[in-house]
Amino acid sequence: MRINEDRLKNHFEELSQIGKLGDTGVCRPTLSTVEKEAFELVFTWMEEAGMKCRIDHFGNLIGRKEGKDPNAPVLMVGSHLDSQPYGGRFDGVAGVLSGIEAVATLTENEFVPDRPIEVVSFCDEEGWRFGKGLFGSRGILGMLDEGELLNKDKDGVTREQALRHFGCDPDRSFESIYPHGSIHSFLELHIEQGPLLQEKNQPVGIVTGIAGPLWLTVKIKGYSGHAGTVPMTMRQDALVGASEIVALFHEIMKQDPQGSTVGTVGSLSVFPDSRNSIPEEVVFTIDLRDIDLERRNHYENQLRECVANVAEKHQLSYEILEDQNSEPSFCDEWIKDAIRKECQQAGLHAPEMMSGAFHDALIISNTCDYGMIFVRCKDGISHNPAEYASYEDLAIGADVLYGTVLKMMK
Ligand code: GLV
Ligand code: MN
Ligand code: MN
């Protein structure tokens, strides 16, 4: 093993204390003081690895090691340090720490690459706090939506306020945009978040592409009234309509014979949220994904039909807003090949697989070639404090990442 397995393990252990949730989980909301604390610690590790660090105006933490030609397009590796509210300690963290480990190993070997290399922890990959994810990676490519900084979290804090509180200056964010052509290629290591590698008894997998997520917000409007007096036949109960849609959506999604289309309602709020008032408005989210865009579109149409039918049945009105709509993106052959060769040299039989989860790589693929390495995780559990990957597997993954970085720098 070329990387330092013990150092990598220590970094995981130390970082998992920041935002610790229960015995094994973490809650590290994006742009929070908890994430800032994580950034400060990781900042020191990036410096120890021989990088110069900065936090840009999109809230990304970036470490950079210069190459022989400082003007050459950069090789970027990374992932994210923010977590789900009820999250695990490996999601995102694995990609950032293995990137730092790879650069530390380069530095220890006194290897000066031709091109610069950067390790990035992207801001708000997860997307739950402000309703839209992959913020930092979209930011550096100039792909933010108009008005997006005004999105609010559950406490009414806007993204702009959170960025300023974090030390960023949104008025200067244009300075943090990477001009087209300035990123040579991108590599991300991530835990698989699915059960395939465990089933195949392999520590590492090669990603072939990333499914495209569609995120919608559905607003159902009825009419509030007294829970004790309005006859059942006269009600326009928004929660009754929303509940029916949630249950029908689940049944619709289960029809997919391949089971590769997945749909989730993960957040729902009721107004006025009072036990003795009829619900007037319900707002809920839809997360719909597939590696095949046509099939995803087919299920989106079924969902829209279902919302219209249920609304009519209960005399409700509705609105459907689109928060995020990405197409699937496929990894580039030369990078998959570099990972394949690394795995072969290490005696691994790495399976090749699509990612159902999205990653910052999905966004960065808009500007350059990209590849991804998966590391086995126990029972495929993720977005849950029980998420687990062994330090042995993570070290094997980090070593494959290191070797792939060497190949990608040539
Ligand atoms: C990222 O966390 C995702 O939801 O796929
Ligand atoms: Mn992740
Ligand atoms: Mn995640």
Side-chain angles (χ1 to χ4, degrees):
M1 183 125 341
R2 295 156 292 186
I3 58 117
N4 184 330
E5 205 172 337
D6 286 337
R7 176 174 52 202
L8 183 65
K9 175 182 169 187
N10 291 339
H11 284 173
F12 273 108
E13 295 269 302
E14 222 181 304
L15 193 54
S16 66
Q17 300 305 309
I18 301 178
K20 190 167 175 156
L21 182 77
D23 287 340
T24 58
V26 291
C27 174
R28 236 176 356 244
T30 188
L31 297 173
S32 64
T33 48
V34 181
E35 193 189 37
K36 193 67 187 278
E37 198 188 327
F39 272 23
E40 279 161 7
L41 179 63
V42 171
F43 198 104
T44 63
W45 295 338
M46 284 177 162
E47 286 189 330
E48 282 164 21
M51 288 181 268
K52 245 179 109 173
C53 307
R54 64 184 196 275
I55 296 176
D56 74 1
H57 292 299
F58 296 110
N60 298 308
L61 171 63
I62 304 171
R64 179 180 173 97
K65 181 179 168 69
E66 288 303 341
K68 288 181 196 130
D69 177 3
N71 297 317
V74 67
L75 167 61
M76 202 178 255
V77 297
S79 197
H80 61 98
L81 297 177
D82 66 312
S83 81
Q84 284 288 315
Y86 185 63
R89 61 198 196 276
F90 301 101
D91 178 357
V93 171
V96 177
L97 294 188
S98 59
I100 294 172
E101 191 48 47
V103 175
T105 308
L106 286 178
T107 302
E108 279 163 2
N109 294 338
E110 293 176 15
F111 182 82
V112 183
D114 287 339
R115 61 180 68 260
I117 177 166
E118 289 183 351
V119 179
V120 185
S121 169
F122 290 103
C123 180
D124 194 5
E125 190 270 352
E126 295 288 3
W128 57 272
R129 183 172 173 194
F130 297 103
K132 181 158 181 162
L134 303 165
F135 176 78
S137 44
R138 287 186 296 113
I140 63 165
L141 300 190
M143 289 172 65
L144 298 187
D145 297 339
E146 216 175 299
E148 186 172 344
L149 296 189
L150 300 177
N151 287 3
K152 289 187 178 134
D153 71 4
K154 289 201 167 97
D155 299 320
V157 178
T158 64
R159 192 188 295 265
E160 177 169 355
Q161 287 167 332
L163 278 165
R164 290 192 192 281
H165 192 252
F166 207 69
C168 307
D169 183 353
D171 297 330
R172 292 176 55 197
S173 58
F174 60 91
E175 292 172 18
S176 301
I177 292 176
Y178 283 64
H180 190 67
S182 61
I183 306 175
H184 172 264
S185 48
F186 183 76
L187 182 64
E188 180 165 357
L189 177 148
H190 205 283
I191 56 164
E192 184 203 340
Q193 305 178 286
L196 224 84
L197 289 172
Q198 181 174 290
E199 276 165 24
K200 294 195 182 282
N201 204 18
Q202 288 297 319
V204 164
I206 301 166
V207 179
T208 51
I210 303 174
L214 175 70
W215 278 10
L216 305 173
T217 297
V218 182
K219 293 184 179 175
I220 307 287
K221 193 98 196 267
Y223 197 75
S224 190
H226 199 293
T229 59
V230 181
M232 295 310 283
T233 50
M234 287 176 67
R235 296 189 178 207
Q236 290 169 272
D237 185 328
L239 184 55
V240 169
S243 311
E244 208 164 305
I245 294 165
V246 173
L248 284 170
F249 177 50
H250 186 76
E251 290 309 311
I252 290 168
M253 299 312 297
K254 278 194 348 203
Q255 289 165 20
D256 173 32
Q258 277 100 15
S260 66
T261 321
V262 285
T264 307
V265 176
S267 173
L268 182 147
S269 64
V270 181
F271 177 84
D273 197 19
S274 155
R275 65 191 300 163
N276 46 355
S277 289
I278 296 165
E280 176 152 300
E281 190 178 65
V282 173
V283 179
F284 61 92
T285 58
I286 296 281
D287 178 314
L288 181 60
R289 310 195 194 189
D290 201 321
I291 51 176
D292 180 328
L293 190 59
E294 239 174 75
R295 201 166 46 208
R296 194 192 78 187
N297 289 342
H298 165 76
Y299 285 104
E300 180 191 351
N301 288 338
Q302 288 212 15
L303 165 74
R304 287 181 184 273
E305 229 172 85
C306 163
V307 174
N309 291 340
V310 172
E312 193 184 339
K313 176 175 160 196
H314 295 284
Q315 291 173 287
L316 304 164
S317 60
Y318 69 93
E319 197 183 347
I320 301 177
L321 309 171
E322 191 176 281
D323 304 312
Q324 184 158 333
N325 186 349
S326 305
E327 293 189 8
S329 165
F330 295 90
C331 293
D332 290 277
E333 205 50 53
W334 69 275
I335 304 180
K336 278 193 295 186
D337 208 43
I339 304 170
R340 245 178 237 134
K341 289 201 173 102
E342 267 306 306
C343 290
Q344 276 159 10
Q345 273 166 26
L348 303 169
H349 303 283
E352 309 206 357
M353 64 188 77
M354 282 295 286
S355 172
F358 62 68
H359 304 285
D360 292 297
L362 175 67
I363 298 301
I364 304 297
S365 74
N366 285 291
T367 197
C368 66
D369 291 353
Y370 87 103
M372 278 195 78
I373 299 163
F374 267 171
V375 171
R376 166 169 58 189
C377 75
K378 192 166 183 312
D379 301 329
I381 295 170
S382 187
H383 286 195
N384 185 315
E387 177 184 281
Y388 177 77
S390 76
Y391 291 125
E392 291 77 25
D393 286 359
L394 289 161
I396 294 169
D399 206 64
V400 168
L401 179 98
Y402 171 70
T404 308
V405 160
L406 289 179
K407 288 187 166 68
M408 287 172 76
M409 284 185 137
K410 286 193 181 134

